[in-house]
């Protein structure tokens, strides 16, 4: 646990008592603060009270009297699509609003670091797609290379729930826009921006607000090194804002769309080969094509970002290459779950938006595609430019018929995962791929994308 600093002897309100909320309350108490907790869910309040925390309705008049700060869980909107009443009350009372990420950065260091030869460092990864894989890949490379590392944030453990770092250790954080938009402190040593595509637009008031939330990790944090995916205009703009000139190697530009040139530091992938260039000369090259845990161009982008972050931490190219080959992949992200009778089954339930589904479709040939769910803002028309390898789509979800009508390939309305898997398996021939890449949210039928992916795995396994 990372005890929270700066609030000893003060009352601090905690809104939302899920995983991060409870971890925050514990860390506040460990730092000498008095947490005052609230969640609209009675079961969540009961769980907190069982640990000895005081629960008090933060919606009542005068709730923020004598409160030093309000800490908000990331899943709770604070401004858009409409102001949260508790957050609005705190702001009206002049009470600062923060989240667990902000508390983590303000509490991480201490006098004990003076005895370390190499102080602990933080790598923070954000972006629309690939941030989970990139963060997990960085963590894997570090641990395979013998470095002490912890994985936390939007993946793994809550940030305040991790252990204090040791000499030369690294904390790898995956940070969503929900987490970066509100944190009052953001000071990573290395910050990574994977890419940007439309997502969570209602939460951020549009694309500009969404990009602004991501950008805060760099503009507020001032990392020593920034790894920036430049294949979208927003990434190119961000890299341009951070660099003092073309040769500024504090910015490492990453691409899978083109060869990068110039006097700076670049990492890019073309035709399955990762290349690192510094000062106009090639420094390393890695063949990514045979790495099973990283199929497709989108995973090559993740590999480039992870490689660049690890190089910024001082790891040698050969050490990184060896670790890439042993990376097993993450559940629900281009995860090969079975191979039977020449057919490969891939679970990419994390492809919850059009852009991530397009990337998944581009990673394979001869696809039996299971898709559908709760459509996100912007529609699904862009999918039709990526379906050259799709033999047939098997559409799930409550609005499966409407989803299927928008596709330019043969599509069958299956509604349920069981029926989609049944039909896809019956149709599949040797050499083909049965791919779950929904291009939609899961909430019409499942609690989350993990539950949807688990259902796909279960339906496949029961038929093999």
């Amino acid at each position: 646990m990372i005890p929270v600093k700066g609030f000893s002897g003060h009352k601090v309100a905690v809104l939302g008592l899920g995983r991060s909320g409870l971890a925050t309350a514990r860390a506040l108490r460990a730092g000498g603060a008095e947490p005052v907790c609230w969640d609209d869910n009675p079961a969540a309040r009961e769980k907190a009270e069982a640990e000895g925390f005081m629960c008090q309705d933060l919606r009542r008049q005068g709730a923020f009297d004598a409160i030093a700060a309000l800490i908000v869980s990331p899943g709770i909107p604070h401004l858009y699509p409409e102001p949260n009443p508790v957050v609005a009350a705190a702001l009206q009372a002049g009470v600062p609003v923060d989240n667990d990420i902000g508390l983590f950065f303000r509490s991480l260091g201490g006098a004990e670091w003076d005895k370390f030869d190499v102080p602990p460092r933080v790598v923070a990864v954000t972006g629309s797609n690939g941030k989970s894989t990139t963060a997990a890949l960085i963590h894997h490379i570090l641990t395979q290379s013998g470095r002490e590392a912890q994985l936390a944030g939007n993946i793994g453990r809550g940030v305040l729930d991790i252990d204090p770092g040791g000499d030369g250790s690294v904390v790898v954080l995956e940070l969503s826009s929900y987490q970066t938009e509100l944190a009052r402190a953001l000071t990573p040593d290395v910050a990574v921006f994977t890419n940007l595509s439309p997502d969570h637009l209602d939460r951020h008031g549009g694309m500009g607000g969404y990009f602004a939330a991501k950008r805060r990790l760099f503009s507020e944090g001032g990392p020593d090194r920034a790894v920036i995916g430049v294949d979208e205009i927003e990434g190119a703009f961000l890299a341009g804002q951070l660099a003092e000139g073309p040769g500024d190697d504090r910015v490492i530009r990453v691409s899978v769309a083109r060869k990068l040139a110039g006097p700076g530091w670049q990492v890019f992938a073309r035709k399955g080969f990762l290349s690192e260039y510094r000062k106009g000369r090639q420094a390393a090259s890695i063949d990514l094509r045979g790495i099973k845990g990283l199929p497709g161009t989108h995973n090559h982008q993740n590999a480039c970002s992870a490689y660049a972050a690890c190089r910024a931490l001082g790891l040698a190219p050969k050490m990184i290459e060896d670790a890439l080959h042993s990376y097993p992949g993450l559940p629900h992200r281009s995860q090969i779950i079975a191979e039977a009778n020449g057919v490969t089954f891939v679970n990419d339930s994390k492809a919850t938006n059009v852009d991530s589904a397009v990337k998944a479709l581009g990673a394979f040939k001869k696809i039996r595609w299971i898709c559908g769910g709760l459509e996100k803002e912007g529609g699904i028309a862009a999918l039709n430019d990526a379906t050259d390898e799709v033999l047939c789509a098997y559409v799930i979800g409550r609005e499966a018929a409407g989803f299927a009508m928008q596709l330019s390939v043969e599509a069958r309305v299956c509604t349920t995962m069981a029926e989609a898997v049944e039909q896809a398996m019956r149709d599949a021939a040797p050499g083909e791929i049965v791919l779950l890449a929904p291009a939609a949210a899961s909430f019409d039928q499942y609690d989350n994308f993990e539950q949807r992916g688990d259902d796909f795995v279960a339906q496949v396994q029961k038929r093999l």
Side-chain angles (χ1 to χ4, degrees), residues 221-248:
D224 295 334
R225 280 255 160 67
V227 177
I228 310 292
V230 295
D231 288 339
E232 293 84 30
I233 188 61
E234 292 88 355
F237 176 81
L238 180 58
Q241 283 201 311
L242 296 173
E244 293 295 329
D248 187 351

mmCIF file of all heavy atoms in Angstrom, residues 221-248:
data_model
loop_
_atom_site.group_PDB
_atom_site.id
_atom_site.type_symbol
_atom_site.label_atom_id
_atom_site.label_comp_id
_atom_site.label_asym_id
_atom_site.label_seq_id
_atom_site.Cartn_x
_atom_site.Cartn_y
_atom_site.Cartn_z
ATOM 1 N N GLY A 221 2.186 16.658 -16.705
ATOM 2 C CA GLY A 221 3.174 15.783 -16.090
ATOM 3 C C GLY A 221 4.618 16.117 -16.392
ATOM 4 O O GLY A 221 5.501 15.872 -15.575
ATOM 5 N N GLY A 222 4.885 16.666 -17.574
ATOM 6 C CA GLY A 222 6.260 16.979 -17.942
ATOM 7 C C GLY A 222 7.201 15.797 -17.804
ATOM 8 O O GLY A 222 8.220 15.878 -17.110
ATOM 9 N N PRO A 223 6.890 14.666 -18.466
ATOM 10 C CA PRO A 223 7.744 13.482 -18.320
ATOM 11 C C PRO A 223 9.150 13.713 -18.866
ATOM 12 O O PRO A 223 9.354 14.545 -19.757
ATOM 13 C CB PRO A 223 7.010 12.422 -19.152
ATOM 14 C CG PRO A 223 6.228 13.210 -20.166
ATOM 15 C CD PRO A 223 5.804 14.457 -19.445
ATOM 16 N N ASP A 224 10.123 12.981 -18.321
ATOM 17 C CA ASP A 224 11.494 13.073 -18.840
ATOM 18 C C ASP A 224 11.551 12.617 -20.293
ATOM 19 O O ASP A 224 12.306 13.162 -21.091
ATOM 20 C CB ASP A 224 12.438 12.206 -17.999
ATOM 21 C CG ASP A 224 12.555 12.699 -16.572
ATOM 22 O OD1 ASP A 224 12.345 13.900 -16.346
ATOM 23 O OD2 ASP A 224 12.854 11.880 -15.685
ATOM 24 N N ARG A 225 10.769 11.566 -20.596
ATOM 25 C CA ARG A 225 10.698 11.065 -21.972
ATOM 26 C C ARG A 225 9.236 10.817 -22.327
ATOM 27 O O ARG A 225 8.466 10.290 -21.516
ATOM 28 C CB ARG A 225 11.497 9.760 -22.117
ATOM 29 C CG ARG A 225 13.016 10.028 -22.249
ATOM 30 C CD ARG A 225 13.458 9.834 -23.676
ATOM 31 N NE ARG A 225 14.718 10.492 -23.996
ATOM 32 C CZ ARG A 225 15.925 10.164 -23.513
ATOM 33 N NH1 ARG A 225 16.053 9.207 -22.617
ATOM 34 N NH2 ARG A 225 17.001 10.813 -23.924
ATOM 35 N N ALA A 226 8.865 11.164 -23.547
ATOM 36 C CA ALA A 226 7.506 10.952 -24.040
ATOM 37 C C ALA A 226 7.561 10.086 -25.283
ATOM 38 O O ALA A 226 8.279 10.399 -26.239
ATOM 39 C CB ALA A 226 6.840 12.286 -24.356
ATOM 40 N N VAL A 227 6.826 8.982 -25.269
ATOM 41 C CA VAL A 227 6.698 8.083 -26.417
ATOM 42 C C VAL A 227 5.349 8.373 -27.059
ATOM 43 O O VAL A 227 4.304 8.171 -26.437
ATOM 44 C CB VAL A 227 6.785 6.612 -25.966
ATOM 45 C CG1 VAL A 227 6.568 5.672 -27.156
ATOM 46 C CG2 VAL A 227 8.117 6.334 -25.276
ATOM 47 N N ILE A 228 5.350 8.856 -28.294
ATOM 48 C CA ILE A 228 4.129 9.367 -28.914
ATOM 49 C C ILE A 228 3.848 8.661 -30.231
ATOM 50 O O ILE A 228 4.662 8.701 -31.167
ATOM 51 C CB ILE A 228 4.231 10.887 -29.201
ATOM 52 C CG1 ILE A 228 4.699 11.658 -27.972
ATOM 53 C CG2 ILE A 228 2.898 11.409 -29.709
ATOM 54 C CD1 ILE A 228 3.726 11.693 -26.846
ATOM 55 N N GLY A 229 2.676 8.013 -30.333
ATOM 56 C CA GLY A 229 2.212 7.490 -31.606
ATOM 57 C C GLY A 229 1.780 8.644 -32.495
ATOM 58 O O GLY A 229 0.893 9.424 -32.115
ATOM 59 N N VAL A 230 2.368 8.758 -33.684
ATOM 60 C CA VAL A 230 2.145 9.945 -34.522
ATOM 61 C C VAL A 230 1.352 9.628 -35.787
ATOM 62 O O VAL A 230 1.349 10.421 -36.732
ATOM 63 C CB VAL A 230 3.491 10.616 -34.885
ATOM 64 C CG1 VAL A 230 4.168 11.153 -33.636
ATOM 65 C CG2 VAL A 230 4.413 9.654 -35.641
ATOM 66 N N ASP A 231 0.663 8.498 -35.816
ATOM 67 C CA ASP A 231 -0.099 8.148 -37.019
ATOM 68 C C ASP A 231 -1.418 8.889 -37.116
ATOM 69 O O ASP A 231 -2.052 8.885 -38.176
ATOM 70 C CB ASP A 231 -0.335 6.633 -37.067
ATOM 71 C CG ASP A 231 0.934 5.870 -37.401
ATOM 72 O OD1 ASP A 231 1.854 6.482 -37.961
ATOM 73 O OD2 ASP A 231 1.007 4.662 -37.092
ATOM 74 N N GLU A 232 -1.884 9.508 -36.034
ATOM 75 C CA GLU A 232 -3.045 10.390 -36.079
ATOM 76 C C GLU A 232 -2.571 11.831 -35.892
ATOM 77 O O GLU A 232 -1.525 12.082 -35.281
ATOM 78 C CB GLU A 232 -4.072 10.037 -34.984
ATOM 79 C CG GLU A 232 -4.750 8.684 -35.186
ATOM 80 C CD GLU A 232 -3.937 7.536 -34.640
ATOM 81 O OE1 GLU A 232 -3.203 7.744 -33.661
ATOM 82 O OE2 GLU A 232 -4.028 6.430 -35.200
ATOM 83 N N ILE A 233 -3.351 12.765 -36.370
ATOM 84 C CA ILE A 233 -2.950 14.170 -36.312
ATOM 85 C C ILE A 233 -2.777 14.642 -34.876
ATOM 86 O O ILE A 233 -1.914 15.477 -34.571
ATOM 87 C CB ILE A 233 -3.967 15.064 -37.073
ATOM 88 C CG1 ILE A 233 -3.443 16.506 -37.185
ATOM 89 C CG2 ILE A 233 -5.342 15.030 -36.426
ATOM 90 C CD1 ILE A 233 -2.142 16.646 -37.930
ATOM 91 N N GLU A 234 -3.581 14.102 -33.958
ATOM 92 C CA GLU A 234 -3.467 14.517 -32.565
ATOM 93 C C GLU A 234 -2.111 14.119 -31.980
ATOM 94 O O GLU A 234 -1.486 14.888 -31.239
ATOM 95 C CB GLU A 234 -4.590 13.911 -31.717
ATOM 96 C CG GLU A 234 -5.971 14.443 -32.030
ATOM 97 C CD GLU A 234 -6.680 13.689 -33.140
ATOM 98 O OE1 GLU A 234 -6.049 12.788 -33.758
ATOM 99 O OE2 GLU A 234 -7.860 13.976 -33.392
ATOM 100 N N GLY A 235 -1.640 12.898 -32.306
ATOM 101 C CA GLY A 235 -0.342 12.465 -31.827
ATOM 102 C C GLY A 235 0.785 13.294 -32.410
ATOM 103 O O GLY A 235 1.731 13.677 -31.708
ATOM 104 N N ALA A 236 0.692 13.586 -33.716
ATOM 105 C CA ALA A 236 1.703 14.428 -34.353
ATOM 106 C C ALA A 236 1.728 15.821 -33.726
ATOM 107 O O ALA A 236 2.796 16.402 -33.502
ATOM 108 C CB ALA A 236 1.424 14.527 -35.853
ATOM 109 N N PHE A 237 0.547 16.338 -33.428
ATOM 110 C CA PHE A 237 0.440 17.653 -32.787
ATOM 111 C C PHE A 237 1.070 17.615 -31.394
ATOM 112 O O PHE A 237 1.830 18.526 -31.016
ATOM 113 C CB PHE A 237 -1.029 18.052 -32.697
ATOM 114 C CG PHE A 237 -1.287 19.348 -31.983
ATOM 115 C CD1 PHE A 237 -1.123 20.558 -32.635
ATOM 116 C CD2 PHE A 237 -1.703 19.356 -30.663
ATOM 117 C CE1 PHE A 237 -1.362 21.763 -31.970
ATOM 118 C CE2 PHE A 237 -1.941 20.543 -29.998
ATOM 119 C CZ PHE A 237 -1.773 21.755 -30.652
ATOM 120 N N LEU A 238 0.778 16.568 -30.633
ATOM 121 C CA LEU A 238 1.311 16.441 -29.278
ATOM 122 C C LEU A 238 2.834 16.341 -29.294
ATOM 123 O O LEU A 238 3.524 17.012 -28.508
ATOM 124 C CB LEU A 238 0.703 15.219 -28.596
ATOM 125 C CG LEU A 238 1.151 14.915 -27.165
ATOM 126 C CD1 LEU A 238 0.858 16.102 -26.254
ATOM 127 C CD2 LEU A 238 0.447 13.658 -26.652
ATOM 128 N N ALA A 239 3.374 15.522 -30.194
ATOM 129 C CA ALA A 239 4.831 15.401 -30.307
ATOM 130 C C ALA A 239 5.461 16.745 -30.659
ATOM 131 O O ALA A 239 6.513 17.124 -30.121
ATOM 132 C CB ALA A 239 5.189 14.358 -31.361
ATOM 133 N N GLY A 240 4.807 17.487 -31.554
ATOM 134 C CA GLY A 240 5.314 18.792 -31.941
ATOM 135 C C GLY A 240 5.305 19.791 -30.800
ATOM 136 O O GLY A 240 6.197 20.635 -30.690
ATOM 137 N N GLN A 241 4.296 19.695 -29.933
ATOM 138 C CA GLN A 241 4.224 20.599 -28.787
ATOM 139 C C GLN A 241 5.296 20.293 -27.742
ATOM 140 O O GLN A 241 5.785 21.198 -27.066
ATOM 141 C CB GLN A 241 2.849 20.504 -28.133
ATOM 142 C CG GLN A 241 1.749 21.242 -28.868
ATOM 143 C CD GLN A 241 0.589 21.523 -27.943
ATOM 144 O OE1 GLN A 241 0.119 20.630 -27.250
ATOM 145 N NE2 GLN A 241 0.128 22.758 -27.931
ATOM 146 N N LEU A 242 5.665 19.024 -27.616
ATOM 147 C CA LEU A 242 6.597 18.622 -26.568
ATOM 148 C C LEU A 242 8.052 18.811 -26.965
ATOM 149 O O LEU A 242 8.910 19.065 -26.120
ATOM 150 C CB LEU A 242 6.363 17.155 -26.185
ATOM 151 C CG LEU A 242 5.007 16.833 -25.553
ATOM 152 C CD1 LEU A 242 4.847 15.321 -25.393
ATOM 153 C CD2 LEU A 242 4.867 17.516 -24.199
ATOM 154 N N ALA A 243 8.353 18.661 -28.242
ATOM 155 C CA ALA A 243 9.742 18.712 -28.698
ATOM 156 C C ALA A 243 10.217 20.155 -28.870
ATOM 157 O O ALA A 243 9.469 21.013 -29.357
ATOM 158 C CB ALA A 243 9.887 17.959 -30.011
ATOM 159 N N GLU A 244 11.461 20.411 -28.493
ATOM 160 C CA GLU A 244 12.066 21.731 -28.681
ATOM 161 C C GLU A 244 12.599 21.922 -30.101
ATOM 162 O O GLU A 244 12.872 23.034 -30.529
ATOM 163 C CB GLU A 244 13.205 21.933 -27.683
ATOM 164 C CG GLU A 244 12.746 22.027 -26.239
ATOM 165 C CD GLU A 244 11.884 23.247 -25.982
ATOM 166 O OE1 GLU A 244 12.094 24.274 -26.656
ATOM 167 O OE2 GLU A 244 10.985 23.172 -25.123
ATOM 168 N N GLY A 245 12.767 20.806 -30.824
ATOM 169 C CA GLY A 245 13.264 20.870 -32.192
ATOM 170 C C GLY A 245 13.307 19.479 -32.785
ATOM 171 O O GLY A 245 13.046 18.493 -32.098
ATOM 172 N N PRO A 246 13.634 19.333 -34.070
ATOM 173 C CA PRO A 246 13.621 18.022 -34.731
ATOM 174 C C PRO A 246 14.526 16.988 -34.080
ATOM 175 O O PRO A 246 14.241 15.794 -34.133
ATOM 176 C CB PRO A 246 14.100 18.349 -36.156
ATOM 177 C CG PRO A 246 13.784 19.781 -36.349
ATOM 178 C CD PRO A 246 13.975 20.425 -35.015
ATOM 179 N N GLY A 247 15.616 17.424 -33.454
ATOM 180 C CA GLY A 247 16.550 16.472 -32.864
ATOM 181 C C GLY A 247 16.356 16.232 -31.387
ATOM 182 O O GLY A 247 17.187 15.551 -30.757
ATOM 183 N N ASP A 248 15.267 16.736 -30.820
ATOM 184 C CA ASP A 248 15.016 16.581 -29.379
ATOM 185 C C ASP A 248 14.646 15.135 -29.065
ATOM 186 O O ASP A 248 13.529 14.701 -29.352
ATOM 187 C CB ASP A 248 13.893 17.525 -28.954
ATOM 188 C CG ASP A 248 13.681 17.564 -27.446
ATOM 189 O OD1 ASP A 248 14.292 16.737 -26.740
ATOM 190 O OD2 ASP A 248 12.902 18.412 -26.976
#
